Amino acid sequence: MRSGRTIAADPAEPVAPEKPLPTPLVLLVDDQEWRSLSVESILRPNGMMVLKAYTGSQALDLVQKVRPDAIMVDFRLPDMDGIEVARELRRAPTVDVVTPLLMISTSTVGRAERLEALGAGVWDILRHPFDPAELVLRLDTWVRAKQETDRIREEGLTDPDTGFYNARGLLRRAQEISADADRSQRPLACVAFGAEWFDRVAPSDDESVADRIAEALRPLMRLSDSVGRLGSGEFVIVAPGTDRDGAARFAGRVLKAVREKDLLASSQVPALDSGFRLRAGYHATASPEPLDPEDLLFKATMALRRAQSDEAGLP
């Protein structure tokens, strides 16, 4: 019989290796090729990938497609002020508050300009030419902290903005609900909602739309229902004890609730009345059917995609 003292792990037991952090991606925004090559020659040999942009508009376009682990922006760019570029980058959905954002200068930066840069979300201002060892150590420390935060977030089960499940959490909850529905021979439904844009708006508007959809969902949820946020404007509800007709009624109630919240004409979300609509799709299983949670979520999502492509669908 073991005593109450701490017992060390059995060395024979397999220990899952810690997942290595991905290769850091640094977005470098500088119109001077010689300076870009200088920075790249420091970072690449130290295990960092460098993605180069030569204008502010090019950098803003790139962050719509990639999620950088660090960003370096020159103060002087040919098309935009560097501080304004930094401010716009901070608003991009792929740039988190934990993403290191640095400014590069070849001359002394005055106090007013430094304060303006810090107010725009810049972490630090680096004077070129850099001390290579110092630059690598700074970036390595900041990037590791950022990537570790990303890892913890990915391994979590909830969406930090709404408190609903994230994709990982919803799938785990769907597996539990499916097992229970299978044992009790009850129907199970999955309903997906998605915001669809006709015209592109600011990333902050995406978040406002998601918040309002979440507000419409909360009072309609039963204690047994589980809701997850899969994207900026996409939500999925797993509803036990709900058949096909019940799923259709629930989808209609949510769409009505969103409209009643004046989502499309809200003064807090400018221009949504002409560029946005909400669609719903659902899938339900009868009690004798085998319940595969991944298949259930997939079919509901595909039903949503069909609704989004159907101009005659519910607004």
Side-chain angles (χ1 to χ4, degrees), residues 134-214:
E134 182 180 349
L135 176 61
V136 169
L137 288 173
R138 281 173 177 264
L139 278 178
D140 186 64
T141 299
W142 288 331
V143 165
R144 282 180 178 274
K146 188 261 185 189
Q147 290 186 333
E148 186 64 22
T149 301
D150 290 344
R151 184 186 65 79
I152 293 171
R153 183 183 301 163
E154 290 172 2
E155 292 179 357
L157 301 179
T158 59
D159 170 60
D161 295 323
T162 62
F164 293 154
Y165 288 109
N166 57 21
R168 178 188 178 98
L170 184 65
L171 180 57
R172 179 178 296 186
R173 184 64 184 132
Q175 290 169 341
E176 297 168 350
I177 294 174
S178 296
D180 182 69
D182 194 23
R183 286 192 298 268
S184 60
Q185 293 292 289
R186 300 175 66 204
L188 177 62
C190 184
V191 187
F193 298 92
E196 183 180 13
W197 302 98
F198 298 121
D199 301 308
R200 187 66 260 163
V201 295
S204 58
D205 293 341
D206 277 342
E207 291 305 310
S208 185
V209 167
D211 290 342
R212 288 174 177 269
I213 296 174

Side-chain angles (χ1 to χ4, degrees), residues 197 199-201 205 264-276:
W197 302 98
D199 301 308
R200 187 66 260 163
V201 295
D205 293 341
L264 304 183
S266 169
S267 61
Q268 298 181 30
V269 190
L272 289 185
D273 54 334
S274 62
F276 166 83

Side-chain angles (χ1 to χ4, degrees), residues 240-263:
T242 303
D243 58 16
R244 182 179 178 84
D245 290 340
R249 289 193 298 270
F250 178 75
R253 288 200 301 271
V254 172
L255 295 175
K256 182 173 181 288
V258 170
R259 288 196 297 270
E260 288 177 351
K261 282 188 173 293
D262 202 22
L263 174 64

Side-chain angles (χ1 to χ4, degrees), residues 7-200:
I7 304 298
D10 186 345
E13 294 179 0
V15 178
E18 185 175 341
K19 184 179 179 181
L21 294 175
T23 300
L25 175 64
V26 179
L27 174 60
L28 177 60
V29 190
D30 195 330
D31 67 317
Q32 298 297 314
E33 179 66 19
W34 67 270
R35 196 161 50 220
S36 293
L37 291 173
S38 171
V39 175
E40 189 175 20
S41 70
I42 297 171
L43 301 184
R44 281 191 180 276
N46 286 278
M48 301 183 195
M49 293 190 298
V50 179
L51 178 63
K52 292 186 284 188
Y54 298 97
T55 65
S57 58
Q58 186 180 8
L60 296 176
D61 180 62
L62 284 173
V63 294
Q64 302 301 318
K65 306 168 185 175
V66 300
R67 185 179 293 274
D69 294 300
I71 304 173
M72 301 176 68
V73 182
D74 183 37
F75 261 98
R76 309 285 179 254
L77 294 170
D79 61 335
M80 297 175 66
D81 177 71
I83 294 177
E84 183 58 30
V85 173
R87 186 176 289 112
E88 290 298 319
L89 286 169
R90 274 290 177 219
R91 294 172 180 160
T94 57
V95 179
D96 298 322
V97 67
V98 294
T99 303
L101 201 164
L102 315 173
M103 298 288 293
I104 305 171
S105 176
T106 56
S107 59
T108 301
V109 177
R111 182 176 182 275
E113 200 170 27
R114 177 179 290 273
L115 291 177
E116 185 183 3
L118 295 174
V122 172
W123 283 25
D124 201 358
I125 299 170
L126 306 178
R127 178 79 177 268
H128 190 276
F130 316 114
D131 179 322
E134 182 180 349
L135 176 61
V136 169
L137 288 173
R138 281 173 177 264
L139 278 178
D140 186 64
T141 299
W142 288 331
V143 165
R144 282 180 178 274
K146 188 261 185 189
Q147 290 186 333
E148 186 64 22
T149 301
D150 290 344
R151 184 186 65 79
I152 293 171
R153 183 183 301 163
E154 290 172 2
E155 292 179 357
L157 301 179
T158 59
D159 170 60
D161 295 323
T162 62
F164 293 154
Y165 288 109
N166 57 21
R168 178 188 178 98
L170 184 65
L171 180 57
R172 179 178 296 186
R173 184 64 184 132
Q175 290 169 341
E176 297 168 350
I177 294 174
S178 296
D180 182 69
D182 194 23
R183 286 192 298 268
S184 60
Q185 293 292 289
R186 300 175 66 204
L188 177 62
C190 184
V191 187
F193 298 92
E196 183 180 13
W197 302 98
F198 298 121
D199 301 308
R200 187 66 260 163

